[in-house]
Amino acid sequence: MKGLRVYLSGAIEHAPDLGAGWRVTLGRFLAESLGHRVYDPSADEKKNLTDEEVGGFRRWKVEDARRYRAVIRKIIAWDLARIEEETDYVIAYWDGAAARGGGTAAEITLAHRIGKPVSLVLGMPVEQASGWILGASDEVFTAFPDLEAVLLRRYGPRGSPPPPAKGSPGTVLR
């Protein structure tokens, strides 16, 4: 199997850079070093939205709750469909911004529920992380370089063996 598909889950709404920074760096590594196909939801603002929805939905959060909710439901459906239908595994970044929102938790939970492996990178001490999130993840890392080293060993440069089986023991690297 060539070009495994990976979904990058993490805060967007509450992240200072709308979740782009870590995704750009990790996405480049995944694509260039492993040959994996990366879906970055923070870079896909358009999704299935109209131009009017893209331009107004953040404002509608306080101005028009009905319109806001309708757009957010479209975004939820779009992102969850990517995980269900177009993803082989999920890499999630769990930090304070992710903990403030609901999307990252939902994406990790869905991936776990449907048997897609979840690799979690913590942006906080493990004792502060959600037990739910830790339980729904297959492996947990405390830094991106540790994750990258494991992925290189697992997949080799630009290689793509199958992702690890669900239920395989997780790894907390410190």
Side-chain angles (χ1 to χ4, degrees):
M1 180 180 358
K2 291 289 182 192
L4 287 174
R5 302 164 302 173
V6 57
Y7 184 100
L8 301 182
S9 176
I12 295 174
E13 180 180 14
H14 297 293
D17 62 354
L18 296 177
W22 72 269
R23 285 181 173 98
V24 168
T25 303
L26 183 63
R28 186 176 306 116
F29 164 81
L30 294 165
E32 293 175 5
S33 299
L34 303 177
H36 293 187
R37 292 181 287 157
V38 177
Y39 181 72
D40 173 354
S42 74
D44 185 14
E45 186 175 78
K46 179 71 171 164
K47 301 181 192 292
N48 58 342
L49 305 180
T50 67
D51 291 338
E52 179 185 20
E53 290 168 335
V54 170
F57 85 90
R58 285 187 173 84
R59 181 179 75 250
W60 297 337
K61 185 175 186 177
V62 294
E63 293 177 4
D64 190 339
R66 183 192 56 77
R67 284 177 86 184
Y68 179 75
R69 193 169 28 259
V71 173
I72 292 301
R73 287 179 176 172
K74 284 176 73 173
I75 292 171
I76 291 167
W78 177 269
D79 286 349
L80 295 183
R82 300 289 77 67
I83 292 171
E84 288 177 309
E85 301 163 9
E86 300 176 18
T87 297
D88 296 306
Y89 70 104
V90 172
I91 294 175
Y93 181 55
W94 188 259
D95 63 355
R100 286 184 59 202
T104 305
E107 292 163 352
I108 292 169
T109 301
L110 172 66
H112 165 71
R113 180 73 175 171
I114 63 175
K116 307 274 175 127
V118 176
S119 297
L120 182 72
V121 178
L122 291 176
M124 61 176 55
V126 68
E127 58 273 7
Q128 292 178 14
S130 161
W132 183 282
I133 297 307
L134 294 171
S137 300
D138 295 287
E139 51 192 3
V140 178
F141 301 90
T142 57
F144 284 104
D146 297 331
L147 167 68
E148 292 172 3
V150 167
L151 293 175
L152 272 173
R153 282 195 304 272
R154 180 176 297 148
Y155 299 115
R158 298 196 57 87
S160 300
K166 285 298 291 179
S168 62
T171 306
V172 176
L173 300 177
R174 297 178 191 237

